Amino acid sequence: MRRTSVGSSGWALAVVTMAAGCGPSAPEVESPKPQTVVSVTPDDHVGQPGAATALGDEAPIASQPVGAESIENAPTLASAPSIGAARSLLSGGGADGVLPLPTIAAASKSWLYLFGRSQAGWVVRAWDNRRNKGFGPAALVAPAYPDDGAPFASIDGEAAWFGVSSTGAAPTRLLRVEATEGGKAKITRISPRADGADATPRGTGNVRGLVALRSHLAIIGRDRDAITFARLSRDGSFLDAAAKTIARGSASLSTTLSRSPRVANEDDRVLLAWDADAVAGARETPGTLPAEAANPKPGIFAQRFSPDGEPVSRPRRLTRPSFEAHTLDVAVELGACAVLGSTPNGFEMFRFVRKGDEMLPYGGGLFLAPPASDVSLATDVVGTVAITPTKLLRIGPGVKIVPSPVPFTPAAGSTSATFETVQVASDGYGDHAIFQTKTAKGMLQTIARIDIDRLSPPLPPAWVGPPPQRLVLADWDGGEGGEGLVLAVDAGVLQVTRVGADGALRGAPTPMPWDAAKLEELAWPRAPVPRAARTGGNWAIALRDGRVL
């Protein structure tokens, strides 16, 4: 049991939490449902709340400095009347459950990293592949913005890299996460810089992927129709002031799914696959007719580059110009490479081998699945594997495909009877499959290991929430119409609630964007000046550094 008393100028709220979970980092074992009770009693002293530890939104709220005089002259806060029966301040959760979060994964031999997008921002949890004892605690890694594009996650040894860019003015978020004992996340942030500016080299555009090479990391971006390349040292510094353009093309006429561009490490070279209508100097697929080349449809191209971003082979179209296809995944097999593509007729895999630095396609496309939802491709020590929403496909040499049914269905709460998106996270030895389906509140995950030709039972849910409500600040103004102000964390989101003298809420709780690392600025003990004041229907909150919101 935990009791926190918070108050000033004559009133206090006590929050009692029993069997409290901690949101995404709550353990996956069975436990009593947490209950939150909030009571209001008169109090003649200012309470001493502890710093809140829940995840918050990293987007800072606007604030301006004010002089000491303006704070000291704030209206005097009157005592509040006693309020009757205890009640929950917010109408949110309070009980643990599966929390739907769009998720992307990356796997090393020791850890499975899951990055999820929540109301609080981008969060990460790590699963210990060695002991299978559960997920480590959740950590907030970056703010999330409404116009964020598709994120990427990549492995470098035992650490994971995560990146996401916005189509607006928000800076690219690029960071490195290394799981430590117990799955705790050690985070090194590369972008944005301390001043909030985007740290990626000029002209990088939206970061779309990362390749770990022997000497450094290669960053792949997209700037309109340009595909860009920049080098990143493992100490977090970029080796280029400006990114270089290494290819051009976009899926402007796409009628099917595309994840272009996609990138992989192939013998310490950067193997790039992307969409384009035509690429100057590209080798066409065998059997291409002049009429086809003169009027091409969007297709898949592949090319190799040195660790410095210089081309080491001519670009190669992997599909006939008269045949529409779009890039989904690129994988390096034993003795060959493979690109997964989407077409109007379904999903196909296109293989090619290397002779010197040239790429030689062999055979046509290998049909994997009809045009339904999604397919993902990866390799492991056995060979190549693909996942569909209903089947695991082990792909052998030539055209041999061994299918196995997915032995589970979406969890309760899904709005579809089948999974809608799939992805495979390969650690170089084995794989994990991540299935997602929609719910009323977001995407819900089912995660399982791939054991050769079958899927293991699903792992415990990665994201568990919402957490019990936690009080950050409460204050009262007994002026005309008397009103209380409450800041509380519910389901990982800091919310503002106004309370009348009769205990009734005045309007719905309003989310308050705030950096989770700075919640202590709102929860400082024994304020030497009034914490909050109301004037003209608006509240002002004093921060411990002398500023006012």
Side-chain angles (χ1 to χ4, degrees):
M1 177 182 292
R2 184 183 64 214
R3 179 179 292 271
T4 306
S5 178
V6 184
S8 67
S9 301
W11 88 321
L13 288 97
V15 178
V16 181
T17 303
M18 302 182 65
C22 53
S25 59
E28 286 78 23
V29 297
E30 290 291 330
S31 60
K33 293 291 186 181
Q35 298 177 341
T36 302
V37 179
V38 180
S39 59
V40 182
T41 56
D43 193 1
D44 295 327
H45 68 277
V46 178
Q48 298 185 19
T53 57
L55 300 178
D57 196 317
E58 284 208 344
I61 198 168
S63 60
Q64 66 180 48
V66 296
E69 181 179 0
S70 60
I71 296 180
E72 291 172 357
N73 293 335
T76 301
L77 304 180
S79 298
S82 176
I83 299 178
R87 68 191 68 196
S88 174
L89 286 171
L90 303 176
S91 59
D96 288 345
V98 178
L99 186 64
L101 294 183
T103 299
I104 188 170
S108 71
K109 291 184 179 180
S110 299
W111 301 98
L112 172 66
Y113 295 89
L114 298 181
F115 297 89
R117 179 173 177 170
S118 70
Q119 290 180 312
W122 291 99
V123 293
V124 65
R125 294 191 79 182
W127 170 274
D128 191 335
N129 285 331
R130 301 161 299 179
R131 300 179 178 88
N132 293 328
K133 288 187 176 180
F135 288 99
L140 184 65
V141 297
Y145 300 98
D147 56 355
D148 278 351
F152 76 87
S154 181
I155 287 294
D156 178 21
E158 288 295 338
W161 289 83
F162 172 82
V164 62
S165 295
S166 167
T167 57
T172 290
R173 282 128 289 156
L174 180 63
L175 53 99
R176 182 180 186 269
V177 178
E178 185 175 4
T180 59
E181 189 64 30
K184 296 180 180 179
K186 178 183 178 183
I187 302 168
T188 304
R189 293 180 174 87
I190 310 302
S191 179
R193 298 193 302 257
D195 60 2
D198 197 317
T200 58
R202 185 175 63 256
T204 301
N206 292 337
V207 174
R208 301 298 294 274
L210 177 147
V211 178
L213 304 170
R214 293 191 186 107
S215 58
H216 57 268
L217 307 160
I219 301 291
I220 302 298
R222 180 185 282 283
D223 186 13
R224 292 185 285 271
D225 72 333
I227 296 172
T228 63
F229 179 98
R231 297 172 300 160
L232 173 65
S233 172
R234 283 181 170 81
D235 65 6
S237 60
F238 282 95
L239 303 177
D240 304 292
K244 65 173 67 175
T245 297
I246 59 173
R248 291 189 179 274
S250 61
S252 57
L253 302 179
S254 175
T255 59
T256 61
L257 181 66
S258 178
R259 295 195 280 260
S260 169
R262 303 295 279 181
V263 66
N265 182 338
E266 197 252 331
D267 194 22
D268 204 41
R269 288 183 172 87
V270 177
L271 176 60
L272 176 71
W274 78 100
D275 292 357
D277 295 326
V279 174
R283 293 181 180 273
E284 296 289 358
T285 53
T288 297
L289 302 175
E292 293 178 308
N295 188 29
K297 293 183 177 180
I300 298 173
F301 290 79
Q303 190 173 10
R304 286 185 177 86
F305 297 88
S306 72
D308 293 330
E310 295 299 319
V312 295
S313 69
R314 287 176 59 182
R316 163 76 74 173
R317 182 192 282 267
L318 299 180
T319 56
R320 295 277 288 272
S322 59
F323 181 68
E324 180 183 346
H326 301 281
T327 306
L328 294 182
D329 291 318
V330 58
V332 178
E333 300 178 302
L334 295 174
C337 301
V339 176
L340 175 69
S342 63
T343 76
N345 297 321
F347 298 89
E348 298 194 30
M349 187 179 80
F350 305 92
R351 279 172 161 156
F352 57 91
V353 294
R354 185 180 70 188
K355 185 177 181 181
D357 281 321
E358 290 301 325
M359 292 175 287
L360 303 177
Y362 67 87
L366 181 60
F367 183 81
L368 299 182
S373 62
D374 199 10
V375 177
S376 187
L377 183 74
T379 58
D380 55 24
V381 292
V382 178
T384 304
V385 65
I387 286 285
T388 79
T390 59
K391 293 181 180 179
L392 166 66
L393 305 176
R394 175 63 66 181
I395 305 170
V399 295
K400 183 180 180 182
I401 299 178
V402 179
S404 302
V406 172
F408 38 76
T409 57
S414 301
T415 57
S416 173
T418 61
F419 296 106
E420 300 184 50
T421 69
V422 295
Q423 59 176 297
V424 180
S426 176
D427 61 20
Y429 179 84
D431 303 293
H432 283 81
I434 296 90
F435 301 83
Q436 298 196 100
T437 187
K438 290 181 181 178
T439 71
K441 295 184 178 181
M443 299 299 287
L444 189 64
Q445 297 77 41
T446 301
I447 304 169
R449 292 186 300 275
I450 299 176
D451 297 329
I452 308 301
D453 58 353
R454 62 185 177 86
L455 288 162
S456 71
L459 273 61
W463 313 113
V464 178
Q469 297 167 6
R470 274 152 287 195
L471 192 64
V472 177
L473 169 69
D475 221 317
W476 176 262
D477 179 9
E480 183 179 356
E483 182 176 88
L485 181 75
V486 176
L487 302 185
V489 176
D490 181 71
V493 179
L494 184 64
Q495 301 195 53
V496 182
T497 302
R498 295 173 183 238
V499 183
D502 59 355
L505 304 185
R506 293 184 172 179
T510 302
M512 177 178 175
W514 192 260
D515 187 341
K518 299 180 180 179
L519 279 175
E520 71 278 0
E521 294 184 7
L522 302 171
W524 45 294
R526 298 194 177 279
V529 294
R531 292 296 318 280
R534 186 170 63 110
T535 176
N538 296 319
W539 281 87
I541 302 172
L543 305 181
R544 61 167 79 217
D545 63 1
R547 294 177 298 155
V548 149
L549 300 180

